[in-house]
Amino acid sequence: MTERPRVSKSTAVPTGANHGDAVCARWAWTAPEVWTERMLTALERGVTGGRWYTLMDKVAALPTLRAAFTRVKANRGAAGVDHVTVPMYARRLDAALPALSAALQAGTYRPQAIRRHWIPKPGTTERRPLGIPTVQDRVVQTALRLVLEPIFEKDFADHSYGFRPQRGAKDALRRVVTLLRAGHVHVVDADIQAYFDRIPQAPLRAQVQTKVSDSRVLALLDAFLHQPIFEGLTQTTPEEGTPQGAVISPLLANLYLDPLDHTMAAAGFEMVRYADDFVVLCRTAEDAACALALVQGWMDAAGLRLHPQKTRLVDMQQPGGFDFLGYHVERDRRWPRAKSLTTLKDTLRQHTRRQNGHSLTRIITTVNRTTQGWFAYFKHSHGSFQSLDGWLRMRLRSILRRRVHRAGRGRGHDHQRWPNAFFAAQGLFSLSRAHVAVRRSFTR
């Protein structure tokens, strides 16, 4: 990864700025509907006893709920068990939000069941469960996250990157590369088995209570953790875990692993974590073995389990490497891992079936959206993109071949009938050309 590091705007405080300006700049990502300058100052200085006692009034405030709906609307998403879509909820927003606010204040709000939907795991025949709350429940969870996130974010470890403001997967990957280049070539490649489904709820609630004492907020969190799950004609109530797909789940998942982050940092280990996916990078094999033992002990005490087949020690001086956040990392090279390529090709196959009846222009426009988004993440890969370009053009030639009443894939004379320049003229995005341009921009 050679991308230049980002500079967070929240830390750019003008010379001569007063204390209030500096505080607001550091927390510029927070929701202004909730986190006023007075609130942010209290956040930085600390509140009495280290706990926040009155938060439900912030969650239930109409400006907070309206800001929460704006975020839910931007994320779109499907309807829940009540079949109410985001546009449908928007049409009655002026009546729905005051009623919702009153129910939250009175403590009478009850979340509805979660609709379970199964989605395929890329590159495997397995599926993973996704919970779809109702739009209104997503609004409440978003409002809850807007209020709670800064309280916990303040003390989260620096080496945690997943589902956090102004951080992302590329930041985590850059840190991994930096450590490898600095000689941390013995890696603990860890995998937590079914993490989101197995988070023990009582210890999780106890962690929330270390900073939040508002009983109504705690009761609301309990209600979300115990939301019934509706699948087909069956309804069950989970006794552990936090629902995948719930807006509040990423924050709670980060919170539960935060003690592990600080345990590893206190022991002097270099850990890079993105949600439940993490690696520990060490200088020696002995240190890596000690790090794995420390992680294993923490997991046992926390009621979690490392996957016995997917957790391993890796010597980066030997062939093999490890997968992390969509990349395969091996020695000083990185390229999209096999599952990342499979996911891309599966998506492109859907857009380039031979019987596709849309115009070539429309097909290419759809394909470009997929390839450009994929390239934005993998543009710093060391792998060649030429084979992907060739494979995609073959798919497009097969469509054109069928339209002139020829069977089979695009091959042979089809390369002369529809040469590469033909697709370039039609506006097809070229991964290989884009990759060359990126490399040149960093060698000037």
Side-chain angles (χ1 to χ4, degrees):
M1 300 288 294
T2 54
E3 186 176 353
R4 296 183 179 95
R6 293 183 301 167
V7 177
S8 170
K9 293 182 180 179
S10 67
T11 60
V13 182
T15 303
N18 61 38
H19 176 72
D21 290 339
V23 170
C24 291
R26 279 193 294 275
W27 295 93
W29 56 269
T30 59
E33 297 84 358
V34 179
W35 291 93
T36 61
E37 182 178 327
R38 182 182 64 82
M39 287 272 290
L40 291 173
T41 300
L43 178 67
E44 289 220 336
R45 291 178 177 174
V47 293
T48 304
R51 295 184 180 184
W52 294 75
Y53 288 87
T54 308
L55 292 174
M56 181 54 83
D57 60 324
K58 311 294 189 302
V59 175
L62 281 175
T64 305
L65 294 175
R66 195 168 291 277
F69 175 75
T70 299
R71 287 163 172 78
V72 170
K73 183 179 179 181
N75 290 333
R76 295 178 289 186
V81 294
D82 61 357
H83 306 293
V84 175
T85 64
V86 172
M88 290 167 63
Y89 196 86
R91 286 194 289 271
R92 56 184 180 86
L93 192 66
D94 290 340
L97 292 189
L100 179 58
S101 175
L104 288 167
Q105 292 278 18
T108 58
Y109 172 81
R110 296 293 182 271
Q112 293 182 264
I114 292 173
R115 180 168 68 86
R116 171 158 284 176
H117 176 66
W118 292 86
I119 59 175
K121 282 189 175 182
T124 72
T125 58
E126 301 176 19
R127 298 185 303 162
R128 69 179 180 90
L130 182 67
I132 303 176
T134 65
V135 174
Q136 179 157 277
D137 287 346
R138 299 205 294 270
V139 171
V140 177
Q141 287 191 24
T142 302
L144 196 58
R145 181 179 61 80
L146 293 178
V147 172
L148 294 181
E149 188 171 37
I151 294 172
F152 296 107
E153 177 66 29
K154 178 175 180 285
D155 296 316
F156 278 166
D158 285 342
H159 64 246
S160 167
Y161 294 90
F163 305 113
R164 294 184 61 189
Q166 300 179 330
R167 288 167 171 251
K170 287 189 176 181
D171 300 306
L173 287 162
R174 274 192 287 268
R175 181 59 181 161
V176 167
V177 170
T178 298
L179 290 168
L180 288 172
R181 289 176 176 169
H184 295 75
V185 294
H186 293 273
V187 180
V188 180
D189 181 15
D191 184 275
I192 307 176
Q193 199 165 29
Y195 173 59
F196 281 83
D197 295 332
R198 294 183 176 177
I199 300 175
Q201 292 181 352
L204 173 62
R205 192 183 193 278
Q207 278 186 247
V208 175
Q209 284 183 281
T210 61
K211 292 192 176 183
V212 175
S213 292
D214 189 318
S215 59
R216 290 180 297 171
V217 167
L218 294 171
L220 187 58
L221 274 174
D222 281 342
F224 282 127
L225 288 174
H226 293 96
Q227 270 182 283
I229 297 173
F230 192 76
E231 182 177 1
L233 299 176
T234 304
Q235 183 169 301
T236 58
T237 300
E239 297 182 359
E240 60 182 358
T242 180
Q244 293 192 53
V247 178
I248 199 69
S249 288
L251 174 61
L252 296 178
N254 271 334
L255 177 61
Y256 196 68
L257 287 179
D258 187 55
L260 172 64
D261 293 337
H262 291 286
T263 296
M264 299 303 289
F269 290 115
E270 294 286 358
M271 179 175 173
V272 181
R273 182 172 69 82
Y274 190 95
D276 59 332
D277 194 1
F278 67 91
V279 290
V280 185
L281 297 99
C282 306
R283 292 188 180 276
T284 68
E286 292 75 18
D287 283 348
C290 290
L292 178 56
L294 183 57
V295 170
Q296 183 68 68
W298 188 92
M299 292 287 168
D300 291 342
L304 299 172
R305 184 185 180 196
L306 291 176
H307 197 296
Q309 281 77 47
K310 296 181 180 179
T311 299
R312 60 202 182 98
L313 297 176
V314 179
D315 182 353
M316 295 297 287
Q317 299 166 108
Q318 303 297 323
F322 62 95
D323 292 342
F324 189 59
L325 300 181
Y327 274 85
H328 179 74
V329 184
E330 190 162 340
R331 298 194 181 185
D332 61 344
R333 298 181 67 82
R334 297 153 303 283
W335 56 84
R337 68 174 185 165
K339 286 185 179 179
S340 301
L341 292 171
T342 298
T343 301
L344 173 65
K345 286 189 171 184
D346 285 348
T347 302
L348 292 175
R349 283 190 184 96
Q350 297 297 319
H351 300 323
T352 57
R353 296 187 183 279
R354 283 179 227 179
Q355 63 271 31
N356 192 315
H358 296 304
S359 68
L360 183 62
T361 299
R362 181 169 174 179
I363 294 171
I364 286 176
T365 298
T366 303
V367 163
N368 282 351
R369 281 197 292 266
T370 297
T371 53
Q372 287 170 343
W374 189 86
F375 180 77
Y377 186 75
F378 288 106
K379 61 185 176 182
H380 296 294
S381 168
H382 288 86
S384 171
F385 295 94
Q386 291 181 353
S387 60
L388 274 172
D389 279 340
W391 177 84
L392 179 54
R393 286 192 296 264
M394 178 276 293
R395 301 279 304 177
L396 295 174
R397 288 188 181 105
S398 298
I399 294 173
L400 297 174
R401 182 181 177 87
R402 187 176 188 275
R403 292 180 181 181
V404 294
H405 308 293
R406 293 176 179 268
R409 292 184 173 187
R411 59 183 184 272
H413 292 297
D414 294 334
H415 288 263
Q416 285 74 48
R417 187 178 293 110
W418 301 293
N420 295 354
F422 167 80
F423 294 106
Q426 299 296 315
L428 181 66
F429 178 74
S430 169
L431 293 161
S432 54
R433 283 202 297 271
H435 187 231
V436 169
V438 167
R439 293 181 65 184
R440 285 176 179 169
S441 70
F442 285 101
T443 56
R444 288 173 181 169

